[in-house]
Coordinates of all heavy atoms in Angstrom, one line a residue:
L748 N -48.2 -15.7 95.3 CA -48.3 -17.1 95.5 C -47.2 -17.5 96.5 O -47.0 -18.8 96.7 CB -48.1 -17.9 94.2 CG -49.3 -17.8 93.2 CD1 -48.9 -18.6 92.0 CD2 -50.6 -18.3 93.8
D749 N -46.5 -16.6 97.2 CA -45.5 -17.0 98.1 C -46.2 -17.5 99.4 O -47.3 -17.2 99.7 CB -44.5 -15.9 98.4 CG -45.1 -14.7 99.1 OD1 -46.0 -14.8 99.9 OD2 -44.7 -13.6 98.7
E750 N -45.4 -18.3 100.2 CA -46.0 -18.9 101.4 C -46.4 -17.9 102.4 O -47.4 -18.2 103.1 CB -44.9 -19.9 102.0 CG -44.6 -21.1 101.2 CD -43.7 -22.1 101.8 OE1 -43.4 -21.9 103.0 OE2 -43.2 -23.0 101.2
Q751 N -45.8 -16.8 102.6 CA -46.2 -15.8 103.6 C -47.6 -15.3 103.3 O -48.4 -15.2 104.2 CB -45.2 -14.7 103.6 CG -45.5 -13.6 104.7 CD -44.4 -12.5 104.8 OE1 -43.5 -12.6 104.0 NE2 -44.6 -11.6 105.7
Y752 N -47.8 -15.0 102.0 CA -49.2 -14.5 101.7 C -50.2 -15.6 101.8 O -51.3 -15.4 102.4 CB -49.2 -13.9 100.3 CG -50.6 -13.7 99.8 CD1 -51.3 -12.5 100.2 CD2 -51.3 -14.6 98.9 CE1 -52.6 -12.3 99.8 CE2 -52.6 -14.3 98.5 CZ -53.2 -13.2 99.0 OH -54.5 -13.0 98.6
L753 N -49.9 -16.8 101.3 CA -50.9 -17.9 101.3 C -51.3 -18.3 102.7 O -52.4 -18.8 103.0 CB -50.4 -19.0 100.5 CG -50.3 -18.8 99.0 CD1 -49.6 -20.0 98.3 CD2 -51.6 -18.5 98.4
S754 N -50.3 -18.2 103.7 CA -50.6 -18.6 105.0 C -51.5 -17.7 105.8 O -52.2 -18.1 106.7 CB -49.3 -18.8 105.8 OG -48.6 -17.5 106.0
D755 N -51.5 -16.4 105.3 CA -52.4 -15.4 106.0 C -52.7 -14.3 105.0 O -52.2 -13.2 105.1 CB -51.7 -14.9 107.2 CG -52.7 -14.0 108.0 OD1 -53.9 -14.0 107.8 OD2 -52.2 -13.2 108.9
P756 N -53.7 -14.5 104.0 CA -54.0 -13.5 103.0 C -54.9 -12.4 103.5 O -55.1 -11.4 102.8 CB -54.6 -14.3 101.9 CG -55.3 -15.5 102.7 CD -54.4 -15.8 103.8
Y757 N -55.5 -12.6 104.7 CA -56.6 -11.8 105.1 C -56.2 -10.3 105.3 O -57.0 -9.4 104.9 CB -57.3 -12.4 106.4 CG -57.6 -13.8 106.2 CD1 -56.9 -14.8 106.8 CD2 -58.6 -14.2 105.2 CE1 -57.2 -16.1 106.6 CE2 -58.9 -15.5 105.0 CZ -58.2 -16.5 105.6 OH -58.4 -17.8 105.4
P758 N -55.1 -9.9 105.9 CA -54.7 -8.5 106.0 C -54.6 -7.8 104.7 O -55.0 -6.7 104.5 CB -53.4 -8.5 106.8 CG -53.4 -9.8 107.6 CD -54.1 -10.8 106.7
T759 N -54.0 -8.6 103.7 CA -53.9 -8.0 102.4 C -55.3 -7.8 101.7 O -55.5 -6.7 101.2 CB -53.1 -8.9 101.5 OG1 -51.7 -9.0 102.0 CG2 -53.0 -8.4 100.0
L760 N -56.1 -8.8 101.8 CA -57.5 -8.6 101.2 C -58.3 -7.5 101.9 O -59.0 -6.8 101.2 CB -58.2 -10.0 101.3 CG -57.6 -11.1 100.5 CD1 -58.3 -12.4 100.8 CD2 -57.6 -10.8 99.0
S761 N -58.1 -7.4 103.2 CA -58.8 -6.3 103.9 C -58.3 -5.0 103.4 O -59.1 -4.1 103.2 CB -58.6 -6.5 105.4 OG -59.2 -5.5 106.1
W762 N -57.0 -4.8 103.3 CA -56.5 -3.6 102.8 C -57.0 -3.3 101.4 O -57.3 -2.1 101.1 CB -54.9 -3.6 102.8 CG -54.3 -2.3 102.4 CD1 -53.8 -1.4 103.3 CD2 -54.0 -1.9 101.1 NE1 -53.3 -0.3 102.6 CE2 -53.3 -0.6 101.2 CE3 -54.2 -2.4 99.8 CZ2 -52.9 0.2 100.1 CZ3 -53.7 -1.6 98.7 CH2 -53.1 -0.4 98.9
L763 N -57.0 -4.3 100.5 CA -57.5 -4.1 99.2 C -59.0 -3.7 99.1 O -59.4 -2.8 98.4 CB -57.3 -5.4 98.3 CG -55.9 -5.7 98.0 CD1 -55.9 -7.1 97.3 CD2 -55.2 -4.7 97.1
R764 N -59.8 -4.3 100.0 CA -61.2 -3.9 100.0 C -61.4 -2.4 100.4 O -62.2 -1.7 99.9 CB -62.0 -4.8 101.0 CG -62.4 -6.1 100.4 CD -63.4 -6.8 101.3 NE -62.8 -7.2 102.6 CZ -62.2 -8.3 102.9 NH1 -62.1 -9.2 101.9 NH2 -61.7 -8.6 104.1
E765 N -60.5 -1.9 101.3 CA -60.6 -0.5 101.7 C -60.0 0.4 100.8 O -60.5 1.6 100.6 CB -59.9 -0.4 103.1 CG -60.6 -1.1 104.2 CD -61.9 -0.4 104.6 OE1 -62.0 0.9 104.4 OE2 -62.9 -1.1 105.0
N766 N -58.9 0.0 100.1 CA -58.1 1.0 99.3 C -58.1 0.8 97.8 O -57.9 1.7 97.1 CB -56.7 1.0 99.9 CG -56.6 1.4 101.3 OD1 -56.6 2.6 101.6 ND2 -56.5 0.4 102.2
E767 N -58.2 -0.5 97.4 CA -58.0 -0.8 96.0 C -58.9 -2.0 95.6 O -58.3 -3.1 95.4 CB -56.5 -1.0 95.6 CG -56.2 -0.9 94.2 CD -54.7 -1.1 93.9 OE1 -53.9 -0.7 94.8 OE2 -54.4 -1.6 92.8
P768 N -60.2 -1.9 95.6 CA -61.1 -3.0 95.5 C -61.0 -3.8 94.2 O -61.3 -4.9 94.1 CB -62.5 -2.5 95.8 CG -62.3 -1.0 95.5 CD -61.0 -0.6 95.9
V769 N -60.5 -3.0 93.1 CA -60.2 -3.7 91.9 C -58.7 -3.6 91.6 O -58.2 -2.5 91.4 CB -61.0 -3.0 90.7 CG1 -60.7 -3.7 89.4 CG2 -62.5 -3.0 91.0
H770 N -58.1 -4.7 91.8 CA -56.6 -4.7 91.9 C -56.0 -5.6 90.8 O -56.4 -6.8 90.6 CB -56.3 -5.3 93.3 CG -54.8 -5.5 93.5 ND1 -53.9 -4.5 93.6 CD2 -54.1 -6.6 93.7 CE1 -52.7 -5.0 93.9 NE2 -52.8 -6.3 93.9
W771 N -55.0 -5.0 90.1 CA -54.2 -5.8 89.1 C -53.1 -6.6 89.8 O -52.3 -6.0 90.5 CB -53.7 -4.8 88.0 CG -52.8 -5.5 87.0 CD1 -51.4 -5.4 87.0 CD2 -53.2 -6.4 86.0 NE1 -50.9 -6.2 85.9 CE2 -52.0 -6.8 85.3 CE3 -54.4 -6.9 85.5 CZ2 -52.0 -7.6 84.2 CZ3 -54.4 -7.7 84.4 CH2 -53.3 -8.1 83.8
V772 N -53.1 -7.9 89.5 CA -52.0 -8.8 90.0 C -51.1 -9.2 88.9 O -51.4 -10.0 88.1 CB -52.7 -10.0 90.7 CG1 -51.6 -10.9 91.3 CG2 -53.7 -9.7 91.6
P773 N -49.9 -8.5 88.8 CA -49.0 -8.8 87.7 C -48.6 -10.3 87.7 O -48.4 -10.9 86.6 CB -47.8 -7.9 88.0 CG -48.3 -6.9 88.9 CD -49.4 -7.5 89.7
E774 N -48.4 -10.9 88.8 CA -48.0 -12.3 88.8 C -49.0 -13.3 88.2 O -48.7 -14.3 87.6 CB -47.7 -12.8 90.3 CG -47.0 -14.1 90.4 CD -46.6 -14.4 91.8 OE1 -46.7 -13.5 92.7 OE2 -46.2 -15.6 92.1
F775 N -50.3 -12.9 88.3 CA -51.4 -13.7 87.7 C -51.7 -13.2 86.3 O -52.4 -13.8 85.6 CB -52.6 -13.6 88.5 CG -52.5 -14.2 89.9 CD1 -53.5 -14.0 90.8 CD2 -51.4 -14.9 90.3 CE1 -53.4 -14.5 92.1 CE2 -51.3 -15.4 91.6 CZ -52.3 -15.2 92.5
E776 N -51.3 -11.9 86.0 CA -51.8 -11.2 84.8 C -53.3 -11.2 84.8 O -54.0 -11.5 83.8 CB -51.2 -11.9 83.5 CG -49.7 -11.8 83.4 CD -49.3 -12.4 82.0 OE1 -49.5 -11.7 81.0 OE2 -48.7 -13.5 82.0
A777 N -53.9 -10.8 85.9 CA -55.3 -10.8 86.1 C -55.7 -9.8 87.1 O -54.9 -9.3 87.9 CB -55.8 -12.2 86.5
W778 N -57.0 -9.4 87.1 CA -57.6 -8.5 88.1 C -58.2 -9.3 89.2 O -58.8 -10.4 89.0 CB -58.7 -7.6 87.5 CG -58.2 -6.7 86.4 CD1 -58.1 -6.9 85.1 CD2 -57.6 -5.4 86.6 NE1 -57.6 -5.9 84.4 CE2 -57.3 -4.9 85.3 CE3 -57.4 -4.6 87.7 CZ2 -56.7 -3.6 85.1 CZ3 -56.9 -3.3 87.5 CH2 -56.5 -2.9 86.3
I779 N -58.1 -8.8 90.4 CA -58.8 -9.4 91.6 C -59.8 -8.4 92.1 O -59.5 -7.2 92.3 CB -57.8 -9.9 92.7 CG1 -58.6 -10.5 93.8 CG2 -57.0 -8.7 93.2 CD1 -57.8 -11.2 94.9
V780 N -61.1 -8.8 92.2 CA -62.2 -8.0 92.6 C -62.6 -8.4 94.0 O -62.9 -9.6 94.2 CB -63.3 -8.0 91.6 CG1 -64.4 -7.1 92.0 CG2 -62.8 -7.7 90.2
T781 N -62.6 -7.5 95.0 CA -62.8 -7.9 96.4 C -64.0 -7.5 97.0 O -64.3 -7.9 98.2 CB -61.6 -7.4 97.2 OG1 -61.5 -5.9 97.1 CG2 -60.3 -8.0 96.8
L782 N -64.9 -6.6 96.4 CA -66.1 -6.2 97.0 C -67.3 -7.0 96.5 O -67.4 -7.2 95.3 CB -66.3 -4.7 96.8 CG -65.3 -3.7 97.4 CD1 -65.7 -2.3 97.1 CD2 -65.3 -3.9 98.9
Y783 N -68.2 -7.3 97.4 CA -69.4 -8.2 97.0 C -70.2 -7.5 95.9 O -70.5 -8.2 94.9 CB -70.2 -8.4 98.2 CG -71.5 -9.0 98.0 CD1 -71.6 -10.4 97.9 CD2 -72.7 -8.3 97.7 CE1 -72.8 -11.1 97.6 CE2 -73.9 -8.9 97.5 CZ -74.0 -10.3 97.4 OH -75.1 -10.9 97.1
D784 N -70.5 -6.2 96.0 CA -71.3 -5.6 95.0 C -70.7 -5.6 93.6 O -71.4 -5.8 92.6 CB -71.7 -4.2 95.4 CG -72.7 -4.1 96.6 OD1 -73.4 -5.1 96.8 OD2 -72.7 -3.1 97.3
D785 N -69.4 -5.4 93.6 CA -68.7 -5.4 92.3 C -68.7 -6.8 91.7 O -68.9 -7.0 90.5 CB -67.2 -5.0 92.5 CG -67.1 -3.5 92.9 OD1 -68.1 -2.8 92.6 OD2 -66.1 -3.1 93.4
V786 N -68.4 -7.8 92.5 CA -68.5 -9.2 92.0 C -69.8 -9.6 91.5 O -70.0 -10.1 90.4 CB -68.1 -10.2 93.2 CG1 -68.3 -11.6 92.7 CG2 -66.6 -10.0 93.6
R787 N -70.9 -9.2 92.2 CA -72.2 -9.5 91.8 C -72.5 -8.8 90.5 O -73.2 -9.4 89.6 CB -73.2 -9.0 92.9 CG -74.7 -9.4 92.6 CD -75.6 -9.0 93.7 NE -77.0 -9.4 93.4 CZ -78.0 -9.2 94.2 NH1 -77.8 -8.7 95.4 NH2 -79.2 -9.6 93.8
M788 N -72.1 -7.5 90.3 CA -72.3 -6.8 89.1 C -71.6 -7.5 87.9 O -72.2 -7.6 86.8 CB -71.7 -5.4 89.2 CG -71.9 -4.5 88.0 SD -71.2 -2.9 88.1 CE -69.4 -3.3 88.3
L789 N -70.4 -8.0 88.1 CA -69.7 -8.7 87.1 C -70.4 -10.0 86.7 O -70.6 -10.3 85.5 CB -68.3 -9.1 87.6 CG -67.2 -8.0 87.5 CD1 -65.9 -8.4 88.1 CD2 -66.9 -7.6 86.0
F790 N -70.9 -10.7 87.7 CA -71.6 -12.0 87.3 C -72.9 -11.8 86.6 O -73.4 -12.6 85.9 CB -71.8 -12.8 88.6 CG -70.7 -13.7 89.0 CD1 -70.1 -13.5 90.3 CD2 -70.1 -14.6 88.2 CE1 -69.1 -14.3 90.7 CE2 -69.1 -15.4 88.5 CZ -68.5 -15.2 89.8

C-alpha cells in the first residue's frame, strides 16, 4: 500500500501474471489472483 506501488502497480502485476499468478500478500493477509481464467474459475 505504499505510494511507489500505488502510483504504478502495472510492472508488479505483469511480473505476477508471468511468474506467480496466485500470490500471497502478507500486508493484506490475503491472496491476489491475477489471471483471467483463474478469476473466472473462482467466481
